[in-house]
Amino acid sequence: MITLGIESSCDETSIAVLRDTEIVVNHIYSQIEHVCFGGVVPEIASRAHLEKIDRLTASALNEASLSFRDIDLLAVTDCPGLAGALLVGVSFALGIHNGWNIPVTGVNHLEGHIFSAMLENPGLSFPFLALVVSGGHTAIYKVMEIGRYECLGQTVDDAAGEAFDKVGKMLGFAYPAGRAIEQEAAASPEDASGIRFPVAKVNGNPFDFSFSGLKTAVKYFLADKDADFIRENRPSICRAFQKAVADSLMSKLAAASHKTGIKDAALVGGVACNGEIRRQMKRLFGDRAHFPRPGLCTDNAAMIALAGYKRSLKNLTRFPHMEPSKGL
Ligand code: KG4
Ligand code: ZN
């Protein structure tokens, strides 16, 4: 079965072709149009998707040596995301659906991230825990099967990726700053500086996260330091910040595994590229820690196509709509 995946929820335009669960092509255009604004500008994102989506699809089909008549299923991200950006992908999918009479299914973007853990990874089976950590979301899901998810906890304020990006901005890095912070932290010898940031305590649900206090702690730490101190200590500041995020994510994930008895855990979303978080997770879960390769952690259409394909096998396809799906 050939599935064409379409992703346009934020600032990546992506088109993928899957043959059953195998990636044939996964083309991604990451919009550079936002860099000078320090964050994603919704209006610019929608226009950039519109400019790229048609040609990206043509080149993906061309590389796969396929045409629309070979496609059995269209899978398109329909929520959550920037409304104008989603509308580009959904309208494009509905155009192909009507023109070529190809079945179409909407896929929740977070469901896509969850299923990115199953791409190229036959060792992962249900049930598993999925820690979704991206620029817009931080949550732990119990994944029972396709379409059956339970949110065990989520951030009560900023997402982890958002904290990386905001702290990165304070330290002079361009948006998005996660990768730059990781690279800078790698230049700091372990624990040499004594700089530490606190892991936030959240009242109520033990699996909820909070990152805005950490962001404020970095801000206050920097407030009374001069530019020379910040420049010299930037690697240690990045290392301490990254460690505080990793400690918070991993302590909650370990607690969720303990509570549910589920031993397999997947780390997905853009922040899952981070080596320090991966190392901590490997220490905790060993061979039962699952990570997509970095190119499949950030937004891509292969994960949307896989979730759509799995939906179709269980007759769970649904017409694209822009309402939040149950459980996610
Ligand atoms: O999943 P994604 O591509 O888009 C959303 O759905 O949000 O995630 C983007 C986020 C950004 O906040 C970016 O700074 C972060 O992922 N990120 C990282 C790393 N690479 C990307 N955060 C920490 N370490 C990294 N290596
Ligand atoms: Zn995402």
Side-chain angles (χ1 to χ4, degrees):
M1 177 158 156
I2 306 284
T3 306
L4 185 79
I6 301 167
E7 157 64 35
S8 71
S9 64
C10 189
D11 57 345
E12 261 87 25
T13 320
S14 180
I15 301 289
V17 175
L18 251 60
R19 181 170 280 114
D20 294 338
T21 59
E22 295 295 313
I23 301 173
V24 181
V25 288
N26 186 26
H27 283 195
I28 303 167
Y29 172 70
S30 295
Q31 299 176 355
I32 46 165
E33 287 84 343
H34 309 282
V35 172
C36 58
F37 297 100
V40 178
V41 184
E43 175 76 17
I44 293 176
S46 314
R47 287 167 189 262
H49 286 305
L50 198 56
E51 273 168 25
K52 287 283 180 310
I53 200 160
D54 199 22
R55 268 179 293 155
L56 208 61
T57 306
S59 76
L61 288 174
N62 188 35
E63 193 177 316
S65 303
L66 296 170
S67 78
F68 283 126
R69 74 176 64 83
D70 303 308
I71 306 297
D72 300 301
L73 175 70
L74 301 162
V76 60
T77 307
D78 59 356
C79 62
L82 303 171
L86 287 166
L87 278 172
V88 174
V90 168
S91 306
F92 186 69
L94 293 183
I96 304 170
H97 162 73
N98 284 317
W100 292 88
N101 205 17
I102 303 169
V104 62
T105 185
V107 170
N108 183 296
H109 182 74
L110 301 179
E111 182 174 45
H113 274 304
I114 290 170
F115 279 87
S116 69
M118 288 189 142
L119 285 165
E120 305 176 334
N121 184 8
L124 178 59
S125 54
F126 302 118
F128 63 90
L129 296 176
L131 173 56
V132 182
V133 261
S134 69
H137 300 91
T138 301
I140 302 175
Y141 292 98
K142 186 167 141 188
V143 183
M144 304 309 290
E145 59 176 318
I146 179 81
R148 271 186 64 209
Y149 317 103
E150 186 187 338
C151 182
L152 300 177
Q154 58 191 319
T155 182
V156 295
D157 41 54
D158 292 352
E162 191 180 352
F164 267 96
D165 296 335
K166 287 179 176 166
V167 165
K169 193 171 181 183
M170 293 175 206
L171 294 169
F173 295 115
Y175 173 88
R179 188 151 173 262
I181 289 188
E182 179 178 6
Q183 283 170 346
E184 188 81 358
S188 156
E190 200 150 353
D191 284 337
S193 67
I195 298 171
R196 303 257 190 291
F197 295 116
V199 174
K201 302 242 177 326
V202 187
N203 294 329
N205 182 351
F207 309 122
D208 277 348
F209 303 94
S210 166
F211 294 104
S212 81
L214 171 60
K215 178 188 69 188
T216 309
V218 177
K219 186 175 165 195
Y220 284 144
F221 176 84
L222 296 174
D224 59 359
K225 309 290 185 300
D226 62 32
D228 287 344
F229 176 92
I230 295 174
R231 196 171 44 252
E232 276 162 35
N233 288 278
R234 206 162 69 158
S236 307
I237 298 166
C238 288
R239 172 184 276 274
F241 164 75
Q242 180 176 262
K243 182 174 182 314
V245 175
D247 288 352
S248 162
L249 293 173
M250 288 305 119
S251 66
K252 303 290 166 95
L253 186 62
S257 170
H258 186 72
K259 169 89 190 295
T260 58
I262 297 175
K263 303 275 180 251
D264 283 287
L267 181 68
V268 297
V271 181
C273 295
N274 187 276
E276 170 61 19
I277 303 173
R278 286 177 177 238
R279 274 188 293 281
Q280 280 208 22
M281 190 156 151
K282 195 92 193 139
R283 275 201 294 276
L284 284 168
F285 290 88
D287 288 345
R288 302 187 78 170
H290 303 269
F291 322 100
R293 64 177 152 88
L296 298 175
C297 289
T298 45
D299 291 350
N300 68 88
M303 67 187 194
I304 303 302
L306 183 65
Y309 169 74
K310 296 224 176 236
R311 280 196 162 269
S312 77
L313 294 183
K314 295 268 178 188
N315 289 323
L316 289 173
T317 56
R318 55 176 179 74
F319 202 70
H321 57 75
M322 291 174 65
E323 304 295 319
S325 331
K326 216 174 131 211
L328 285 165

